[in-house]
Each structure stands twice: as C-alpha cells, then as structure tokens.
C-alpha cells in the first residue's frame, strides 16, 4: 500500500496505531466510571485478583497489543516523498516499539499499586494510553507544530498522572512542580518554533532543511531559534542544568508513573530531538554542536556525582536517569548513523532496565510509597532470592556491566562517538560510568552482603502475577541483548536508514 | 511593522520568564507562563505577514493547548491547595527544590 497525503483518508491509515490507542483510552475511561467499575474506591483491600482494576488493566493491555499490531502493519506501507506532515519511516516505527513496550510494562507493574492505593483504575490506565499516543505523535511528526501537539498530549497526561494520588501530599507537590516547570519549558520550545518559522518560512522539517542548506534562512533568527529549541528539549530530556525538576518529581510521583515517565517521556523527547536536529538543522551542525557537547559533558559529570550521595532509591534512580540522558546526548552530538542507531538501541535497553528496576522498587515499597531508602534493601537478596537476582541484573545493566544490554548500548554509543572523533566526551563517558558503579553496586552489596536489620523485614513484599510477567520480560530481553546484541542492533541500523542527512561527518570540531 | 511586533513579543516573553523566576505564587507563575505563550502567538501572527496564513492558524493550536493546560494546571493547584491551604510554592518543602 502506498500513501500520499493529498488524500485526507491516508492520514487515518498513517496514524492507525495512535488512533487505536486513543480509542482504547476513551473506552477504558468510560468503562472506569460505569457499572460495577465505578466503585473501585470501596473494594475490599487484600483481594488477590485486584477486582475490577485487573479488568481495566487487561483491557488497556489489549489496546496496546492491537496498536502494536497496527505498528507492525505499517512496515508494509510506503509513503510518497519525504516531506509529508506525518513520517512513515522506520525510525518512527522503531520508536513506536519502544513506547508500546514501555506502556505495556507500566500497565503490568501498576495493577497491584493502583489497587492498593485505591486509585481510579479507569482514569489511570486511560491516561497512560493517552500519554503513549502523544509520545507516538512526537516520533511520527515531521512538522514542528505536530511535534508540539504530541509533546503537549503526552505532557498534560503525565502532569495529571504525577498528581494522581490525591491523598498523598508528595504527589500533589510533585505534580505542581512538574506542571509549572514543564509549561515553562513549553514556552521556550514554542518560541523556538515561532522563530524557526520566521527564519525559514515553514514548520515542515523537510522544508526547513532545504531552507537551511540553501542559506535562504535568516541566520540570526535561526541561531536564536536553535538555542530556544535546545532549552525546550533539554527540559524534557532533563539535561543538566535544566534537570532541577527531575529528582523531586520522580520521588513524589506514584512509582509506576515514575517508571513510565523516565522511559517514555525521555525516549519521546530524544526521538523528536534527533529528528529536528539531525534532519531540519543538519546544515547548522556547527551552530548546535558546541551547545550539545557541553550539555552532554555537564550532564554526565554532575548527575553521576550527585547520585553518589543519594539515600532515597527513587531519587538515586532519578539522577541515574539524568546521567543516562547525558550518555544519549553524546549520541546526538556525534550526529552520525552509527551513533543514532546506538541511541535507538540504548533507548530500548534503558526502557527495559529502568522499568524493571522501578518494578522491584514498587514491590519493596509494599505496592505503596513506604520503604524507599537504600537501607531498606539490607538482606533483601537472601529473603527474596528471585527478586534479588533480578534487581542485581537491572543494576548491573544500568551500570553497564559486560553481559548485559546496558554494556552493549554503551559500546555502541562509544562506537558512534568515535566515528565523529569526540574523544573527550568518550573519556568522560567511561570515567563517569566507572563512578556510577559505586552507587549501583552499593544497593547490590547491601542486598547480598548484609543481614536484614530485623526479622521479617521483607515479609510483606508481594509480586503479583502481572508484575512477575513484566520482570521476566525485562530480564529476558536485557540478557538477550547483552549476549546476542546483533539482531536488535541490525534492526536499529536499518531503522536509521533514510532518516535524512547526518552532519556528523564534519570532524575535529571539539570546542 | 513586523520588527516592532517582534520586539514587543520578545519583551512580553522576557516579562513572562522573569515572572516565573521571581514570583512564588503558583497562580501568578501560571499567569506568567500564559503570558509567554501569548507572546509567542504575537510572533506567529507577525511572521505570518511574511510567510502567509500558516502562522495565524498555529495561534489557534497554541490557544487550544493553552486551554487544556490551564484545565489540568488549575486542577493540580486546587489539589495542592487542599493539602496545604496555600498556593505559595515557598511553603512546599516535602521535596527539596
């Protein structure tokens, strides 16, 4: 099938996965307030089947699976030209796999949490689906306005999710912080779009690229526009110095939402970041190269240093996610096909290991927000061997130990950086990775090398079936990509083909 | 004519930015963010004199998104007001800023 966007109906086919997700989101939302589902608040706690929460959760999961089917179907569809408003390239489809995987895993790990916390299941799962659809719009957009709309669909849903637990002060506070700073960043992002439009006369990524390479664009306006867009994106990918909201929001938000946020929001921002800067502003590479170089360097160094002194696990993982954002910025700075494929691979692995780690944090916290300190993990490994081994694998992968997906991801990022000769950034990545071993392995050491502080400290840890399923998927894929990375990498390489030009060929630009 | 509009728009944007950074009342901060968005709208309209109708259409998208954002944002502000009986962000100290 071939799509040309002069016919309106073809937009429908091109956006099929997003439309399916939105439809299921609305169905789940309505189901959540009708019939027996609307009294979820009054259900007895301790029901092992999680009552009506489970029904709505499985329904949302079916929606994600059908959307995944539609995403697979899009591989057989070709587009005419490369300048339509909606992209149909494999870059978008690969990104969609990451978002759908993150959504499915988040739904699986939140069953017990939503039930125990007496949250409105219909609204919770519907918002997850809407946020995922927003992320997919961002990945599929080839127009700055569509990127903006996708960003807002995703962000507004995530603001609501962050403040979702209305009985919890921390959740409300985190929601307010995220909302104010997120909307603030949106202002910068939008101003960047307006100035790009002023400089080039279009918001279409392909048209902007032509205008920039032919020199028709107004140089001064374009430089300011690039700077503003970098600020807007940096807030969303939480690059230092625009990261100050991240630890607070990650700590205060409901834990499954934190897992979702750290995976999907970051991945969607990076995908859109890559498309705008590698395609539209490809010929201004010399303008944005130094900005991203410094952002990557500062982010890697400071996030890893601050993470060393954290005592709260959710905060520690928040700084760890900022640090991983720094590693991914290295790939953007390198701006060549190898680095971009490495970025896709790393985003996939990062989604798996981060959601996996948060799933265990939720378990240890009794499906609530109770025990979040690193000291609460003493002796955890010996009382819950399976969970202990899983968490150790996630931590080793986050740290980048050989044999895990995280290690292979870092190798590919380094390979991409080497092609653009970014030697200093590579040195910083290796050194900060070594430093990060300390805070990841400290948790593992407490788990295995110390005795529990009191008898029965870990008795109340429950891992229901859906969460076990998610954990097995995460561990399986991390070990698989760590030992046989070939298939996933080839897939990522093929997905980057046809994305557009890459300016990273200009080497020796180090500031 | 376009230059004047762009200068005014930049000026309003800076006022909005400073407002968010200086004021501590959540509702005023939110107002300043709206001011930023409307400054951007002014730029869009000004540029549309150069590049055609597109810019004016974007303004409607921005206004719609701003309305959706206001709905969620004010709901969050109400929810935090119920906990703290204040909307001054200086009083929210459960999480370190």
């Amino acid at each position: 099938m071939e799509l040309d966007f002069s016919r309106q109906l073809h937009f429908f086919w091109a956006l099929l996965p997003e439309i399916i997700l939105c439809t299921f989101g609305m169905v789940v939302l309505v189901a959540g307030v009708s019939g027996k589902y609307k009294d979820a608040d009054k259900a007895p706690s301790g029901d092992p089947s999680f009552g009506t929460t489970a029904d709505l959760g499985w329904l949302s999961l079916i929606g994600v699976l059908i959307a995944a089917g539609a995403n697979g179907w899009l591989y057989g569809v070709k587009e005419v030209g490369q300048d339509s408003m909606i992209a149909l390239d494999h870059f978008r489809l690969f990104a969609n796999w990451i978002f759908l995987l993150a959504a499915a895993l988040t739904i699986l790990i939140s069953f017990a949490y939503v039930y125990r916390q007496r949250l409105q299941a219909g609204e919770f799962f519907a918002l997850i689906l809407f946020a995922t659809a927003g992320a997919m719009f961002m990945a599929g957009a080839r127009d700055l306005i569509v990127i903006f709309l996708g960003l807002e669909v995703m962000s507004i849903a995530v603001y609501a999710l962050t403040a979702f637990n209305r009985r919890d002060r921390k959740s409300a506070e985190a929601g307010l912080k995220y909302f104010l700073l997120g909307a603030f960043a949106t202002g910068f992002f939008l101003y960047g779009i307006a100035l790009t439009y002023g400089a080039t006369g279009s918001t279409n990524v392909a048209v902007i690229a032509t205008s920039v390479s032919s020199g028709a664009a107004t140089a001064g306006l374009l430089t300011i526009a690039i700077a503003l867009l970098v600020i807007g994106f940096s807030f969303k990918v939480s690059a230092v110095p625009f990261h100050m909201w991240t630890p607070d929001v990650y700590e205060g938000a409901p834990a499954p939402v934190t897992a979702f946020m750290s995976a999907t929001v970051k991945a969607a921002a990076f995908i859109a970041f890559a498309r705008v800067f590698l395609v539209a502003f490809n010929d201004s590479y010399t303008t944005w190269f130094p900005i991203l170089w410094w952002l990557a360097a500062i982010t890697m160094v400071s996030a890893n240093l601050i993470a060393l002194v954290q005592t709260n696990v959710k905060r520690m993982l928040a700084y760890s996610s900022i640090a991983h954002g720094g590693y991914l910025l290295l790939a953007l700075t390198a701006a060549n096909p190898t680095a971009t494929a490495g970025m896709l691979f790393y985003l996939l692995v990062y989604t798996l290991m981060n959601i996996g780690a948060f799933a265990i944090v939720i378990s240890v916290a009794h499906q609530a927000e109770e025990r979040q300190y690193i000291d609460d993990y003493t002796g955890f490994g010996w009382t819950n061997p399976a969970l202990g081994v899983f968490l150790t694998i996630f931590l080793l992968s986050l740290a980048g130990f050989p044999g895990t997906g995280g290690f292979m991801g870092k190798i590919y990022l380094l390979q991409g950086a080497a092609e653009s000769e970014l030697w200093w950034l590579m040195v910083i990545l290796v050194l900060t990775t070594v430093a990060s071993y300390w805070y990841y392995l400290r948790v593992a050491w407490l788990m295995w090398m110390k005795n529990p502080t009191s008898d029965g400290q870990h008795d109340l840890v429950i891992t229901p079936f859906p969460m076990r399923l998610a954990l097995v998927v995460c561990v399986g894929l991390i070990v698989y990509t760590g030992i046989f990375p070939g298939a996933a990498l080839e897939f990522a390489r093929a997905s980057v083909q046809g994305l557009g030009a890459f300016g990273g060929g200009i080497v020796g630009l180090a500031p | 004519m376009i230059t004047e509009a762009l200068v005014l728009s930049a000026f309003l944007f800076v006022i909005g930015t400073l407002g968010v950074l200086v004021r501590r009342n959540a509702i005023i901060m939110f107002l300043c963010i709206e001011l930023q968005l409307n400054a951007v709208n002014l730029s869009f309209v000004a540029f549309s004199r150069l590049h055609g109708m597109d810019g004016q259409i974007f303004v409607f998208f921005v206004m719609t998104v701003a309305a959706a954002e206001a709905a969620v944002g004010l709901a969050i502000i109400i929810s935090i007001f119920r906990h703290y009986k204040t909307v001054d962000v200086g009083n929210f100290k459960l999480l370190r800023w």
Side-chain angles (χ1 to χ4, degrees):
Chain A
M1 195 171 165
E2 210 167 59
L3 298 186
D4 66 11
F5 290 100
S6 53
R7 293 179 57 190
Q8 294 290 320
L9 182 65
H10 284 181
F11 278 104
F12 175 80
W13 295 117
L15 290 172
L16 197 56
E18 287 87 345
I19 290 173
I20 291 172
L21 272 190
C22 288
T23 315
F24 265 87
M26 283 184 258
V27 169
V28 171
L29 194 59
V30 172
V33 292
S34 54
K36 61 174 178 169
Y37 297 105
K38 69 169 178 277
D39 293 327
D41 263 13
K42 298 175 193 111
S45 65
D47 179 354
S49 69
F50 309 125
T52 54
T53 304
D55 299 354
L56 295 170
W58 292 119
L59 182 64
S60 334
L61 202 64
I62 290 171
V64 173
L65 290 180
I66 296 178
N71 195 45
W73 172 77
L74 279 180
Y75 274 95
V77 177
K78 298 272 164 291
E79 59 179 335
V80 179
Q82 281 227 325
D83 52 359
S84 51
M85 200 177 258
I86 303 295
L88 266 173
D89 49 14
H90 292 183
F91 187 66
R92 169 200 175 190
L93 299 180
F94 190 98
N96 281 358
W97 291 125
I98 298 177
F99 304 143
L100 291 168
L101 182 69
L105 292 173
T106 310
I107 291 169
L108 283 174
I109 65 172
S110 52
F111 275 46
Y113 186 92
V114 171
Y115 183 72
R116 279 273 181 109
Q117 297 290 302
R118 295 163 176 261
L119 305 178
Q120 287 291 335
E123 293 167 22
F124 185 88
F125 292 124
L127 283 170
I128 296 265
L129 294 183
F130 289 143
T132 313
M136 287 162 74
F137 275 120
M138 272 179 93
R142 214 182 259 142
D143 192 293
L144 293 180
I145 287 295
V146 183
I147 293 184
F148 169 68
L149 287 178
L151 178 76
E152 285 303 294
V153 169
M154 176 181 76
S155 299
I156 292 178
V158 177
Y159 300 149
L161 279 172
T162 307
F164 203 83
N165 197 348
R166 278 175 296 131
R167 297 176 194 87
D168 185 8
R169 280 183 173 217
K170 268 186 171 179
S171 178
E173 201 179 313
L176 183 72
K177 274 176 197 174
Y178 191 33
F179 168 71
L180 284 178
L181 289 172
F184 188 50
T186 304
F188 285 94
F189 184 72
L190 200 60
Y191 204 26
I193 294 179
L195 294 185
T196 312
Y197 171 68
T200 61
S202 174
T203 50
N204 188 301
V205 166
V207 179
I208 294 172
T210 328
S211 172
V212 171
S213 64
S214 70
T218 325
L221 274 184
L222 195 66
T223 309
I224 305 174
I226 289 175
L228 287 167
L229 285 173
V230 168
I231 295 178
F233 276 123
S234 299
F235 262 104
K236 288 294 164 192
V237 303
S238 55
V240 180
F242 307 105
H243 71 292
M244 50 292 191
W245 57 273
T246 319
D248 292 339
V249 172
Y250 280 24
E251 187 187 339
V257 176
T258 311
F260 180 74
M261 211 166 19
S262 64
T264 303
V265 175
K266 194 174 285 258
F270 265 111
I271 298 289
F273 207 156
R275 196 187 288 280
V276 172
F277 279 75
L278 299 184
V279 182
F281 297 138
N282 179 48
D283 285 288
S284 318
Y285 182 66
T286 44
T287 311
W288 53 264
F289 168 81
I291 312 181
L292 287 197
W293 196 98
W294 282 107
L295 273 181
I298 298 172
T299 306
M300 284 191 275
V301 173
S302 56
N304 276 310
L305 288 183
I306 304 173
L308 291 176
V309 296
Q310 296 305 316
T311 50
N312 182 309
V313 174
K314 275 169 103 182
R315 254 186 126 74
M316 189 269 276
L317 285 173
Y319 280 107
S320 128
S321 97
I322 300 174
H324 283 88
Y327 308 148
L328 289 160
L329 276 173
L330 166 69
L332 272 186
T333 315
N336 58 47
T338 317
T340 313
M343 184 182 92
L344 287 181
F345 181 90
Y346 202 82
L347 279 173
L348 177 67
V349 176
Y350 169 74
T351 301
L352 291 165
M353 56 199 186
N354 218 35
I355 294 188
F358 271 110
I360 294 182
V361 170
I362 298 170
S363 263
V364 173
H366 299 160
Q367 311 287 340
E369 305 288 336
E370 291 171 14
R371 305 188 305 160
Q372 297 182 344
Y373 289 92
I374 290 177
D375 295 339
D376 293 326
Y377 287 76
T378 45
F380 181 63
W382 295 108
T383 42
N384 296 60
L387 287 185
V389 170
F390 281 8
L391 183 55
T392 312
I393 291 175
F394 295 137
L395 290 172
L396 289 179
S397 181
L398 282 165
F401 247 60
T404 59
F407 174 73
M408 293 319 294
K410 278 196 181 120
I411 292 290
Y412 294 137
L413 291 183
L414 287 173
Q415 204 181 340
E419 273 186 28
S420 293
E421 303 191 357
L422 301 172
W423 308 120
W424 281 109
L425 280 186
M426 291 168 66
V427 171
I428 294 175
L429 188 146
V430 173
L431 289 181
T432 51
T433 299
V434 172
S436 77
Y437 281 6
W438 161 254
Y439 59 84
Y440 290 123
L441 295 187
R442 186 167 50 145
V443 179
W445 181 75
L446 279 174
M447 269 198 315
W448 296 104
M449 301 299 174
K450 286 213 166 186
N451 291 323
T453 42
S454 62
D455 280 344
Q457 189 190 1
H458 302 296
D459 279 359
L460 286 169
V461 173
I462 51 165
T463 20
F465 165 72
M467 187 181 267
R468 286 202 296 268
L469 183 66
L471 284 173
V472 169
V473 170
C474 288
V475 166
L477 284 175
I478 285 173
V479 174
Y480 176 75
T481 49
I483 299 172
F484 308 104
L489 184 71
E490 275 313 307
F491 190 30
R493 288 232 166 103
S495 301
V496 171
Q497 304 258 316
L499 174 65
F502 287 94
I506 318 164
V507 291
L509 265 177
Chain B
M1 194 51 204
I2 296 174
T3 320
E4 284 89 338
L6 289 179
V7 170
L8 176 63
S9 143
F11 194 61
L12 287 175
F13 191 85
V14 172
I15 293 178
T17 310
L18 288 179
V20 177
L21 296 176
V22 173
R23 299 300 296 266
R24 295 289 80 172
N25 182 310
I27 292 181
I28 303 280
M29 287 168 84
F30 182 50
L31 269 175
C32 291
I33 290 167
E34 293 289 311
L35 185 62
Q36 284 184 309
L37 296 184
N38 284 312
V40 176
N41 281 346
L42 188 59
S43 298
F44 268 126
V45 173
F47 281 129
S48 79
R49 287 180 76 105
L50 280 177
H51 303 304
M53 284 294 289
D54 287 5
Q56 299 181 28
I57 295 164
F58 297 152
V59 173
F60 286 99
F61 281 99
V62 177
M63 275 159 54
T64 317
V65 166
E69 215 167 52
V72 172
L74 292 175
I76 292 175
I77 293 176
I78 289 175
S79 119
I80 200 159
F81 182 79
R82 286 198 178 140
H83 282 295
Y84 288 92
K85 304 294 172 215
T86 172
V87 289
D88 190 327
V89 295
N91 290 328
F92 308 146
K93 293 208 174 104
L94 227 47
L95 307 165
R96 286 163 287 177
W97 275 91

